[in-house]
Amino acid sequence: MTTIRTILAIATSKGWPLHQMDVKNAFLHGDLKEEIFMSPPPCMFSSPSTDITMSMGSDSQFIEKLQQQLKSSFHMKDFESLQYFLGLKIQHCPTGTILHQHKYTQELLTLVGLQDSNSVLTPMEVNLKLRQEGGDLLSDPSLYRQLVGSLNYLTITRPDISFAVQQVSQFMQAPCQAHLAAVRRLLRYLKGTSGRGLFFPSSTSLQLVGFSDADWASCVDTRLSIPGWCMFLGGALISWKSKKQARVSKSSIESEYRAMSAACSEMIWLWVGRHEISLPHISTENQPADVFTKALSRHRHQLMIDKLMLLDRPTSI
């Protein structure tokens, strides 16, 4: 998904058209010996089973030639302009492109009967510390696991829920009532922000900039630190992470160095051409990675959303 977001960011910045094609019955073109199950499990929703391709670039003749070559080898359907890709909605506006999962969010809320519930302004309560022992165990944890799995997929376009999803993902084996309550609050947050998505601005630079942060020893069960980092290509957010560190850090500076190391590894993977990474200090007030390390107050959460370039989908287009 980082590659897909990077492609969208580059195409939008350079004003390149995005073209979409679909290979009909793509699974019939492969030589498979394994047993294939075509029906999804009960209580799960998914998009139709298709193999979508997208193309972009400044050379329109080359793209047209490539499309003709694909059509000569496969039975393909031409969708012209890219609109849906792997369940993600791509909407174009005069100032850029918005990538969102509004339809998917609405289906998820309907699944749990929260489509008419009251919304909240933050995905998680400030200073809430979830523990392994969070009260009575759920008699049937299947719904909890299904919801957390669905929320993980939603983080493709919703970095603002990454920390909350990381927190509730820790208790898949034995979820308790407190864990389910945290999931339901997160869903109520999505109720009021279902149309929110990533904005990729047009005519922006393609400079790669990253931010990293860490909340030292914040896990109450293990005392592991929770780092977070995010990467911007120009003004577009293309990559981020919120995940507990594997080892206990003896000091806050150690946890910060570990977070910085992970962020630098991601930057190298994202094609740092000059092999140079500068490390300036970023104040807490201007640190967008803060939203990946802890639950924030309403005011600060909204500030971080603005910095992450999260916008509501255009409804008039």
Side-chain angles (χ1 to χ4, degrees):
M1 287 301 173
T2 297
T3 301
I4 292 172
R5 289 188 294 258
T6 302
I7 290 173
L8 288 174
I10 294 173
T12 304
S13 174
K14 293 184 174 294
W16 291 343
L18 289 165
H19 202 87
Q20 182 178 17
M21 302 179 74
D22 171 32
V23 182
K24 291 188 176 180
N25 299 327
F27 61 91
L28 296 178
H29 294 285
D31 297 325
L32 301 176
K33 298 179 180 179
E34 299 83 358
E35 185 175 3
I36 303 299
F37 297 91
M38 299 306 298
S39 299
C43 301
M44 289 198 68
F45 54 86
S46 61
S47 301
S49 299
T50 55
D51 190 353
I52 302 290
T53 65
M54 69 175 177
S55 59
M56 68 164 195
S58 57
D59 191 337
S60 58
Q61 292 183 348
F62 176 79
I63 292 176
E64 185 176 351
K65 181 180 178 180
L66 173 62
Q67 291 168 349
Q68 293 301 323
Q69 289 177 342
L70 289 172
K71 288 180 179 179
S72 66
S73 301
F74 304 101
H75 187 195
M76 304 194 70
K77 185 175 181 180
D78 198 334
F79 290 103
E80 298 296 337
S81 178
L82 180 65
Q83 295 183 0
Y84 272 102
F85 188 78
L86 300 177
L88 312 177
K89 175 67 175 177
I90 296 95
Q91 282 189 263
H92 305 282
C93 59
T95 57
T97 302
I98 294 181
L99 182 68
H100 65 82
Q101 294 168 277
H102 172 69
K103 183 175 181 292
Y104 181 85
T105 305
Q106 291 295 322
E107 291 174 343
L108 182 58
L109 292 170
T110 301
L111 175 68
V112 293
L114 291 177
Q115 65 272 24
D116 297 322
S117 64
N118 295 326
S119 61
V120 293
L121 297 176
T122 58
M124 195 170 186
E125 294 181 23
V126 179
N127 298 323
L128 175 64
K129 300 293 184 181
L130 295 175
R131 293 178 170 271
Q132 291 289 344
E133 297 179 359
D136 296 334
L137 293 174
L138 299 179
S139 57
D140 182 7
S142 58
L143 177 61
Y144 181 89
R145 293 166 180 165
Q146 180 184 359
L147 291 176
V148 174
S150 298
L151 289 168
N152 264 299
Y153 184 70
L154 193 55
T155 60
I156 293 173
T157 61
R158 295 298 299 269
D160 53 329
I161 67 170
S162 291
F163 173 76
V165 173
Q166 179 269 326
Q167 287 287 288
V168 297
S169 296
Q170 303 175 82
F171 313 108
M172 299 286 272
Q173 183 175 357
C176 300
Q177 292 293 340
H179 307 146
L180 181 59
V183 169
R184 292 182 68 87
R185 177 192 172 87
L186 178 50
L187 290 169
R188 289 171 58 205
Y189 170 72
L190 293 172
K191 165 65 170 58
T193 60
S194 62
R196 184 173 292 168
L198 291 172
F199 177 67
F200 301 97
S202 57
S203 302
T204 185
S205 70
L206 293 178
Q207 182 181 10
L208 184 63
V209 178
F211 300 86
S212 73
D213 196 11
D215 193 15
W216 178 49
S218 58
C219 178
V220 293
D221 290 317
T222 64
R223 307 314 297 177
L224 291 171
S225 303
I226 301 179
W229 49 255
C230 53
M231 304 291 157
F232 292 84
L233 189 61
L237 179 63
I238 60 171
S239 181
W240 60 88
K241 178 72 74 174
S242 176
K243 184 179 181 180
K244 283 197 300 187
Q245 291 176 343
R247 295 176 177 84
V248 175
S249 297
K250 296 180 180 178
S251 65
S252 60
I253 192 64
E254 182 180 345
S255 65
E256 295 280 0
Y257 270 121
R258 291 184 185 276
M260 191 185 305
S261 174
C264 289
S265 296
E266 181 73 1
M267 295 195 80
I268 293 171
W269 178 81
L270 286 170
W271 315 304
V272 178
R274 294 175 58 186
H275 304 285
E276 295 179 4
I277 299 177
S278 61
L279 302 173
H281 174 263
I282 304 295
S283 64
T284 301
E285 292 74 19
N286 298 316
Q287 177 57 274
D290 196 33
V291 74
F292 301 105
T293 66
K294 62 178 73 70
L296 303 177
S297 65
R298 181 179 65 180
H299 172 74
R300 182 149 180 78
H301 182 77
Q302 183 59 51
L303 179 63
M304 293 300 104
I305 286 174
D306 295 339
K307 289 185 176 296
L308 295 177
M309 298 294 285
L310 286 168
L311 301 179
D312 290 329
R313 68 189 180 101
T315 57
S316 59
I317 298 179

